């Protein structure tokens, strides 16, 4: 937070602050002082007081399916009416190719699930995204802070194990 404010305060063009100012700037681009010789740039206040000083997400940690083998399907349903997130069921099949990679292991199933969540336009519009830890745990996050435990469920014929939902 301190670093964001420092950058917003010290980023300047020709002595004029450009990151903590609402409105716009005019830059003289020609030798005359007419409007035709100026460039107008829209600016916005990027200090933490203007953009909000906390970044909190609702998260769910999802362990990788165990012994993911031929014939298995791994599904997550994310969202629901209570959450204000359009419910989406994302599925990954063993042997499927996702983003150019053959899904033939637990690790690749998590990779594919992460990719599919992060490229689902409905989930993106609802502020939902996924991150994957080095240990393979998938974390689904909602920037809207509106997902609850029942809003993320696992299915398919090789169920994922859901971790705790942390608000």
């Amino acid at each position: 937070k301190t670093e964001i404010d420092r950058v917003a305060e010290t980023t300047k063009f020709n002595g004029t602050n450009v990151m903590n100012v609402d409105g716009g700037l005019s830059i003289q681009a020609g030798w005359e002082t007419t409007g035709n010789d100026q460039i107008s740039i829209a600016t916005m206040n990027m200090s933490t007081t203007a953009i909000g000083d906390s970044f909190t997400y609702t998260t769910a940690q999802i362990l990788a399916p165990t012994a993911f083998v031929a014939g298995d399907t791994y599904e997550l349903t994310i969202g629901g009416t209570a959450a204000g997130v359009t419910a989406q069921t994302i599925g990954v099949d063993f042997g499927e190719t996702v983003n150019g990679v053959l899904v033939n292991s637990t690790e690749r199933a998590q990779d594919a699930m992460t990719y599919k969540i992060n490229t689902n336009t409905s989930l993106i519009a609802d502020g939902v995204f996924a991150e994957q830890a080095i240990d393979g745990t998938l974390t689904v996050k909602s920037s809207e802070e509106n997902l609850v435990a029942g809003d993320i469920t696992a299915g398919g014929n090789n169920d994922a194990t859901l971790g705790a939902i942390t608000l």
Side-chain angles (χ1 to χ4, degrees):
K1 181 174 151 182
T2 303
E3 184 65 8
I4 290 171
D5 283 334
R6 185 195 69 75
V7 169
E9 182 61 36
T10 61
T11 302
K12 297 182 179 188
F13 174 78
N14 199 25
T16 302
N17 192 297
V18 294
M19 290 190 72
N20 70 352
V21 137
D22 283 321
L25 300 171
S26 289
I27 298 172
Q28 186 67 33
W31 63 277
E32 293 183 11
T33 58
T34 67
N36 292 335
D37 290 326
Q38 295 179 353
I39 299 172
S40 295
I41 301 171
T43 61
M44 135 177 168
N45 192 337
M46 298 299 292
S47 66
T48 58
T49 54
I51 62 173
D53 60 3
S54 67
F55 303 96
T56 306
Y57 298 100
T58 302
T59 64
Q61 292 188 334
I62 303 149
L63 302 177
T66 56
F68 196 64
V69 295
D72 283 345
T73 298
Y74 168 32
E75 291 180 344
L76 292 178
T77 300
I78 302 167
T81 307
V85 173
T86 305
Q88 298 286 314
T89 299
I90 310 295
V92 175
D93 296 321
F94 186 92
E96 176 182 5
T97 299
V98 176
N99 196 29
V101 177
L102 178 66
V103 178
N104 59 3
S105 67
T106 296
E107 296 79 18
R108 290 195 174 157
Q110 286 293 72
D111 292 342
M113 185 62 74
T114 302
Y115 177 81
K116 284 187 169 189
I117 290 169
N118 289 336
T119 57
N120 183 292
T121 54
S122 293
L123 292 175
I124 291 167
D126 287 334
V128 176
F129 60 97
E131 295 176 343
Q132 190 174 348
I134 291 173
D135 69 359
T137 300
L138 176 69
T139 302
V140 175
K141 295 184 175 185
S142 171
S143 61
E144 302 301 319
E145 301 181 40
N146 51 4
L147 292 177
V148 295
D151 292 330
I152 300 178
T153 57
N157 62 358
N158 190 347
D159 294 354
T161 303
L162 289 179
I165 304 289
T166 308
L167 299 177

